[in-house]
């Protein structure tokens, strides 16, 4: 398995030389400065590759995360031929520069969502956290979304009202800012009035419509991926549930099976994100990894700890609810199978994800969820698991 690291490009506070000291050789990055729907030129892609090469640490750009999908495609809004053509051209330009794995998501409007970016931990560090009560307060009392009551229990609604009544303007602003923090680079960010307005663009668009629009996207893109020799891997929804009334359609094993059924090709694959899938109590993440092993092209190894009310927080990589040893075993078995077949793509890229802020991470201003030391701890822990399981590796079924 290839150790990789998400890097936000030239504006990232964590540098390529620092990443090299972690031991990661794969660089997972994106051209966040390019707006949705515009072509990624071959020149821009080559320039990013050159930055990585000029650091002279043997690192390579191995995964794009992500090539964003325009919201009009998700809504099925108007003539989309130009957007699809631009997307395919960006893919062709990436392939021409030797970057052939694309991680993407199909979450409407909002990317990964948390309510706190610096949740205090007993050891003095901080983590990301999703608080169900605060999300309910945002939906019910700040956005005042019609029908939101149906999404929350009476108990959560009561607690949400109490939180809202006791909150200050600063508390409410911190909440919306935390929710928006999952959107990197050129992604739009919203205050409460702007988010209200943006949500109206999805009026009348339910799960059936989102699925239809997603199926259309795959029909436009996967044949191009096959022609270009590219792997296309969907990132599961985070959290894996509807939010703000927006349907999320990649949240469980049945959803993943549906995605693969739309285009039955190995190029139509999965980013196995242990944390995103692990936040759904119904998901057995190692079992999902084994079921869909042939289609996994990239992995995010992280862990979460869930509460009974639907809240969850980022756990240390080996301390959450998901059995990470069993998960890594499933991925190593798939690597072994591919190696036996002599496949060129046998080695799976993976990266540590959403680490705790620890030691000098605190106050360093890195992108939320992407500190240096916290992720390096996760990388080291998972490296140890991989090394131990790889020793005399036969099968871990």
């Amino acid at each position: 398995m290839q150790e990789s690291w998400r890097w936000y490009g030239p504006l990232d506070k964590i540098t390529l030389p620092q990443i090299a000291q972690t031991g990661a050789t794969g660089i997972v990055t994106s051209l966040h400065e390019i707006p949705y729907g515009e072509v990624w030129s071959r020149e821009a892609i080559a320039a990013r590759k050159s930055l990585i090469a000029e650091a002279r640490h043997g690192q390579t750009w191995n995964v794009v995360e992500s090539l964003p999908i325009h919201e009009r495609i998700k809504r099925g809004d108007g003539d989309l031929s130009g957007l699809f053509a631009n997307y395919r051209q960006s893919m062709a330009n990436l392939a021409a520069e030797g970057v052939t794995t694309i991680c993407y998501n199909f979450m409407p409007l909002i990317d990964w969502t948390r309510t706190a970016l610096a949740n205090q931990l007993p050891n003095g560090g901080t983590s990301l956290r999703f608080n169900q009560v605060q999300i309910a307060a945002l939906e019910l009392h700040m956005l005042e979304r019609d029908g939101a009551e149906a999404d929350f229990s009476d108990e959560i609604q009561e607690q949400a009202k109490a939180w809202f009544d006791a909150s200050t303007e600063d508390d409410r602003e911190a909440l919306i800012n935390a929710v928006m923090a999952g959107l990197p680079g050129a992604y739009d960010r919203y205050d409460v009035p702007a988010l209200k307005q943006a949500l109206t663009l999805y009026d009348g668009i339910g799960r059936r419509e989102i699925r239809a629009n997603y199926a259309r996207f795959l029909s436009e893109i996967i044949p191009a991926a096959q022609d270009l020799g590219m792997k296309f891997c969907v990132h599961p929804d985070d959290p894996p549930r509807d939010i703000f009334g927006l349907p999320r359609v990649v949240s469980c094993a049945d959803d993943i099976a549906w995605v693969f059924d739309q285009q039955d090709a190995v190029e139509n694959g999965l980013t196995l994100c242990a944390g995103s899938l692990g936040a759904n109590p119904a998901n057995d993440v190692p079992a999902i990894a084994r079921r869909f092993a042939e289609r996994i092209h990239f992995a995010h190894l992280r862990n979460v700890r869930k509460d009974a009310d639907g809240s969850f927080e980022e756990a240390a990589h080996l301390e959450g609810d998901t059995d990470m040893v069993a998960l890594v075993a499933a991925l190593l078995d798939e690597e072994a199978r591919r190696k036996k077949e002599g496949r060129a793509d046998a080695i799976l890229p993976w990266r540590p994800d959403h680490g705790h802020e620890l030691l000098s991470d605190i106050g360093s201003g890195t992108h939320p969820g992407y500190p240096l030391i916290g992720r390096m701890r996760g990388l080291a822990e998972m490296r140890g698991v991989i090394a131990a399981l790889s020793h005399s590796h036969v099968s871990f079924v």
Side-chain angles (χ1 to χ4, degrees), residues 92-315:
N93 292 342
L94 283 161
E97 291 295 327
V99 186
T100 58
T101 300
I102 296 176
C103 168
Y104 74 102
N105 73 71
F106 209 82
M107 289 181 269
L109 194 62
I110 302 295
D111 205 281
W112 62 264
T113 305
R114 300 292 185 273
T115 59
L117 306 179
N119 174 61
Q120 287 295 318
L121 298 170
N123 66 1
T126 70
S127 72
L128 302 178
R129 180 168 173 80
F130 180 93
N131 185 293
Q132 184 80 333
V133 170
Q134 291 179 359
I135 281 290
L138 175 56
E139 296 213 35
L140 293 166
H141 303 295
M142 295 168 64
L143 294 172
E144 301 174 308
R145 180 174 69 81
D146 290 342
E149 293 83 0
D151 293 342
F152 302 101
S153 68
D154 290 345
E155 181 179 3
I156 291 294
Q157 290 186 50
E158 291 173 6
Q159 293 176 31
K161 180 65 163 60
W163 182 90
F164 180 76
D165 288 345
S167 67
T168 65
E169 186 64 33
D170 286 346
D171 294 332
R172 296 189 288 273
E173 184 175 356
L175 175 57
I176 191 67
N177 288 342
V179 168
M180 291 298 109
L183 301 176
Y187 291 78
D188 290 330
R189 287 167 170 77
Y190 308 102
D191 57 15
V192 168
L195 181 55
K196 278 186 179 182
Q197 181 60 37
L199 288 170
T200 65
L201 297 175
Y202 278 88
D203 286 349
I205 299 177
R207 181 177 177 84
R208 182 176 62 181
E209 289 78 16
I210 292 290
R211 273 193 160 188
N213 297 337
Y214 188 11
R216 179 183 176 188
F217 171 76
L218 292 171
S219 73
E220 294 275 357
I221 297 306
I222 297 304
Q226 292 176 287
D227 291 342
L228 294 166
M230 303 189 83
K231 296 296 192 295
F232 215 65
C233 38
V234 65
H235 187 288
D237 303 325
D238 187 7
R241 66 189 75 166
D242 293 357
I243 191 167
F244 304 126
L246 300 171
R248 293 195 160 186
V249 296
V250 192
S251 294
C252 63
D254 288 346
D255 288 344
I256 296 167
W258 177 88
V259 172
F260 293 166
D261 285 345
Q262 304 317 297
Q263 295 288 317
D264 188 12
V266 71
E267 291 81 5
N268 181 24
L270 174 67
T271 295
L272 193 288
C273 180
S276 297
L277 291 169
N280 183 341
N283 286 339
D284 181 334
V285 182
I288 288 173
R290 290 199 177 276
R291 177 177 173 183
F292 300 113
E294 184 182 7
R295 298 285 192 93
I296 296 171
H297 303 314
F298 181 37
H300 291 176
L301 299 184
R302 65 180 174 90
N303 217 331
V304 296
R305 183 179 294 106
K306 299 181 289 292
D307 297 336
D309 69 356
S311 303
F312 62 89
E313 68 185 32
E314 307 289 348

Side-chain angles (χ1 to χ4, degrees), residues 82-95:
L83 288 174
F84 287 130
N86 285 357
Y87 203 96
R88 288 190 294 266
Q89 186 60 58
S90 295
M91 292 169 62
N93 292 342
L94 283 161

Side-chain angles (χ1 to χ4, degrees), residues 7 10 29-34 38-52 61 90 93-94 97 99:
W7 182 56
T29 191
S30 179
L31 304 183
H32 294 301
E33 65 275 14
I34 299 178
E38 293 187 10
V39 172
W40 287 16
S41 71
R42 188 165 176 180
E43 292 75 17
I45 295 164
R48 180 59 55 87
K49 281 188 66 181
S50 293
L51 277 179
I52 296 168
W61 184 0
S90 295
N93 292 342
L94 283 161
E97 291 295 327
V99 186

